[in-house]
Amino acid sequence: MTKAQIKFIQSLTRQKYRKEYNAYLVEGDKNAKEWLLSEGHILQIAATGAWLAENDSVIKRHPEAEIIETLPFELEKITALQTAQSVVLVVQKPAAFAFQQPVGQWALYLEKIQDPGNMGTIIRTADWFGIRHIICSPDCVEVYNPKVVQASMGSLLRVNIAEMDVPSFLAKNQRPVYAAVLEGQDIRRLQQPEYGTIAMGNESKGLSPELVNAATHQLMIPGFGGAESLNVAVATGILCAKLTGSI
Amino acid sequence: MTKAQIKFIQSLTRQKYRKEYNAYLVEGDKNAKEWLLSEGHILQIAATGAWLAENDSVIKRHPEAEIIETLPFELEKITALQTAQSVVLVVQKPAAFAFQQPVGQWALYLEKIQDPGNMGTIIRTADWFGIRHIICSPDCVEVYNPKVVQASMGSLLRVNIAEMDVPSFLAKNQRPVYAAVLEGQDIRRLQQPEYGTIAMGNESKGLSPELVNAATHQLMIPGFGGAESLNVAVATGILCAKLTGSI
């Protein structure tokens, strides 16, 4: 690798440069294969010679990609994650998704989700339940953060992600909103609902009063133990499972 | 802090010394308060003068604890987590819990859960749903790992954790076992079940064939999207919610 190549990939570990170059990193064998099997636009494949040789068939699906053979110590320099990797991809961000009311489909509104692991897990969970529309408030952790990409396990490729603040979302939205709150209606009493948007809030503060008050439903997952709350990704999973009729 | 005090607390960031000294660390303001409000046996409270002054009333609940006033740079040396903390507790491990078949209660069996964040989130989730008996296979991540402690958000104090390998568990168990698998019975078809044990497996490999074959039920959470699987903590949350009748 040239110094310029190392510098470019390193820069993408920072949000500022992901924005400037409109690109993000995908690290590690498992995730790289997921991305190479997709229709995404791959800008660069930086990998060890062994990895390139073993994965020749998936690499060939992306003639647009520049291939950079690297030494293991070079990969260590450019990786954002702690564990050593054999491959890093540079991927072009998809075109911005303009949120439209999806017909006959569920959507997810995320307000100020801060932890990248939670964000990635929520994207993966939404994908599992077939929810393809995710709207993030501008103060959510960026979905192209390397830890979000890693935790999404490829699901980031299969969902549409739009950014909208609470007032814009509420102004545009015309469907039921199911807001997750700690003091709300017991979800066991909810009839199987019509399509709408499931709204989940910040790890410690939950949803803003503005969103909760505008929501058509305030839902609570009943608990019987001592924990103060559920992890937000777990709560998202339970509500998605319940509201989409999967359990 | 003396050098010996720093060395002792630092040593507890490693499993080997947690075992040797039968103690573990609790880091950060929120978790420290949870622990101090509990009946746990606190060996040491290492905190900045400001933190000690602000939290005098909870500290007084633990006359058994040695109080060590620290400077912020000393705390940085002894913390296992990345973010700077104002307090670290040294807590004595509870007496080992000998697993007995709980009557009229659910239990959780965890096989080779590797990620500390997942383990802590699972403990927190079990506590939320009132499941107080958790049995871990010996190859699970240790529950006193600082990242597990942090993600458990105090729930670690409220559950009984036993260690048992799969053959010992199966030999002792006389109740239904509900095993989470990718190819199993659709959980929507399950009648509200009698009390038993919910079994969850490793992040990438799932449960061992030995456990799956011995289980009375093999359950699957139906998915409709592209994700290959759910995160194990999310899947645990959905199964606990469903089987305990909380949704």
Side-chain angles (χ1 to χ4, degrees):
Chain A
M1 291 183 91
T2 65
K3 277 191 185 168
Q5 285 173 327
I6 291 178
K7 203 176 159 193
F8 172 65
I9 297 185
Q10 270 179 337
S11 76
L12 294 175
T13 61
R14 295 174 57 191
Q15 181 169 5
K16 179 185 165 190
Y17 294 104
R18 290 193 290 271
K19 205 164 177 179
E20 185 169 331
Y21 298 126
N22 207 30
Y24 64 100
L25 302 178
V26 173
E27 303 179 39
D29 177 62
K30 192 171 158 54
N31 271 327
K33 281 177 189 158
E34 279 269 10
W35 257 261
L36 290 171
L37 284 170
S38 80
E39 303 309 310
H41 187 87
I42 313 290
L43 297 168
Q44 294 183 336
I45 304 171
T48 58
W51 196 91
L52 292 171
E54 272 165 37
N55 294 281
D56 192 47
S57 59
V58 282
I59 292 169
K60 283 214 178 94
R61 294 169 51 95
H62 292 276
E64 79 279 16
E66 177 190 4
I67 294 173
I68 305 171
E69 189 171 332
T70 61
L71 299 168
F73 85 89
E74 291 172 327
L75 273 174
E76 247 174 69
K77 274 193 207 167
I78 57 177
T79 187
L81 304 173
Q82 286 183 330
T83 44
Q85 306 293 356
S86 47
V87 55
V88 172
L89 307 182
V90 177
V91 183
Q92 191 170 347
K93 289 188 194 172
F97 165 67
F99 176 68
Q100 293 184 327
Q101 216 76 244
V103 179
Q105 284 182 50
W106 284 91
L108 203 53
Y109 186 84
L110 304 176
E111 187 180 3
K112 207 177 180 177
I113 299 296
Q114 296 280 282
D115 180 83
N118 284 340
M119 178 60 93
T121 302
I122 289 171
I123 292 169
R124 178 178 171 192
T125 304
D127 183 29
W128 176 266
F129 290 113
I131 299 176
R132 297 192 172 269
H133 301 269
I134 300 179
I135 313 126
C136 296
S137 71
D139 49 5
C140 279
V141 57
E142 184 217 15
V143 299
Y144 299 107
N145 173 304
K147 288 183 186 169
V148 177
V149 172
Q150 192 189 39
S152 86
M153 302 278 278
S155 292
L156 187 57
L157 288 163
R158 287 180 291 267
V159 295
N160 296 313
I161 296 182
E163 191 179 294
M164 265 173 124
D165 61 19
V166 171
S168 312
F169 167 68
L170 292 176
K172 196 150 187 181
N173 179 64
Q174 290 162 356
R175 306 194 307 166
V177 173
Y178 300 87
V181 295
L182 281 171
E183 315 271 325
Q185 184 196 1
D186 185 328
I187 50 167
R188 288 174 293 188
R189 294 207 206 105
L190 187 74
Q191 297 286 317
Q192 181 57 45
E194 45 177 324
Y195 291 111
T197 301
I198 301 166
M200 306 298 303
N202 175 261
E203 283 85 351
S204 53
K205 293 180 188 161
L207 288 165
S208 63
E210 190 180 4
L211 198 146
V212 172
N213 293 335
T216 49
H217 300 76
Q218 288 93 25
L219 297 179
M220 178 264 292
I221 301 165
F224 308 99
E228 262 179 50
S229 63
L230 283 166
N231 165 279
V232 65
V234 171
T236 304
I238 293 170
L239 285 181
C240 290
K242 174 72 175 176
L243 296 178
T244 61
S246 306
I247 49 174
Chain B
M1 292 182 91
T2 65
K3 277 191 184 167
Q5 286 173 327
I6 291 178
K7 203 176 160 192
F8 171 65
I9 297 186
Q10 270 179 337
S11 76
L12 294 175
T13 60
R14 294 174 59 190
Q15 181 168 7
K16 181 185 163 188
Y17 294 104
R18 290 193 290 271
K19 207 166 177 176
E20 187 170 327
Y21 298 125
N22 206 32
Y24 64 99
L25 302 177
V26 173
E27 303 180 38
D29 177 62
K30 191 170 158 56
N31 272 327
K33 282 177 189 157
E34 280 269 9
W35 256 261
L36 290 172
L37 284 169
S38 81
E39 303 309 309
H41 188 87
I42 312 292
L43 297 168
Q44 293 183 336
I45 304 171
T48 58
W51 196 91
L52 292 172
E54 271 166 36
N55 294 280
D56 192 48
S57 60
V58 283
I59 292 168
K60 282 214 180 93
R61 295 169 50 97
H62 292 276
E64 79 280 15
E66 177 191 3
I67 294 173
I68 305 170
E69 189 172 332
T70 61
L71 298 168
F73 85 90
E74 290 171 326
L75 272 173
E76 245 174 71
K77 275 193 205 166
I78 57 177
T79 187
L81 303 174
Q82 285 183 330
T83 44
Q85 306 294 354
S86 47
V87 54
V88 173
L89 306 182
V90 178
V91 183
Q92 192 172 337
K93 289 187 194 172
F97 165 68
F99 176 67
Q100 293 184 327
Q101 218 74 246
V103 179
Q105 286 182 50
W106 284 92
L108 203 53
Y109 187 84
L110 304 176
E111 187 179 4
K112 208 178 181 176
I113 300 296
Q114 295 281 282
D115 180 82
N118 284 340
M119 177 59 93
T121 302
I122 289 171
I123 292 170
R124 177 179 172 191
T125 304
D127 183 29
W128 177 265
F129 290 112
I131 300 176
R132 297 190 173 269
H133 301 270
I134 300 180
I135 313 128
C136 297
S137 69
D139 49 5
C140 280
V141 58
E142 185 217 14
V143 298
Y144 299 108
N145 174 304
K147 288 183 187 169
V148 176
V149 172
Q150 193 189 40
S152 85
M153 302 278 279
S155 292
L156 186 56
L157 289 162
R158 289 180 291 267
V159 295
N160 296 313
I161 296 182
E163 190 179 293
M164 267 174 122
D165 61 19
V166 172
S168 312
F169 167 69
L170 292 175
K172 196 150 188 181
N173 179 64
Q174 289 161 357
R175 305 194 307 168
V177 174
Y178 300 87
V181 296
L182 281 170
E183 315 270 325
Q185 185 197 357
D186 186 328
I187 51 168
R188 288 174 294 187
R189 294 207 206 105
L190 187 74
Q191 298 286 315
Q192 182 57 44
E194 43 177 327
Y195 292 110
T197 300
I198 300 166
M200 306 297 304
N202 175 260
E203 283 86 350
S204 52
K205 291 177 188 163
L207 288 165
S208 63
E210 190 181 4
L211 199 146
V212 172
N213 293 334
T216 49
H217 301 76
Q218 288 93 27
L219 297 179
M220 176 264 290
I221 301 164
F224 308 99
E228 262 178 50
S229 63
L230 282 167
N231 165 279
V232 66
V234 171
T236 303
I238 293 170
L239 285 181
C240 290
K242 174 73 176 178
L243 296 178
T244 62
S246 306
I247 48 173

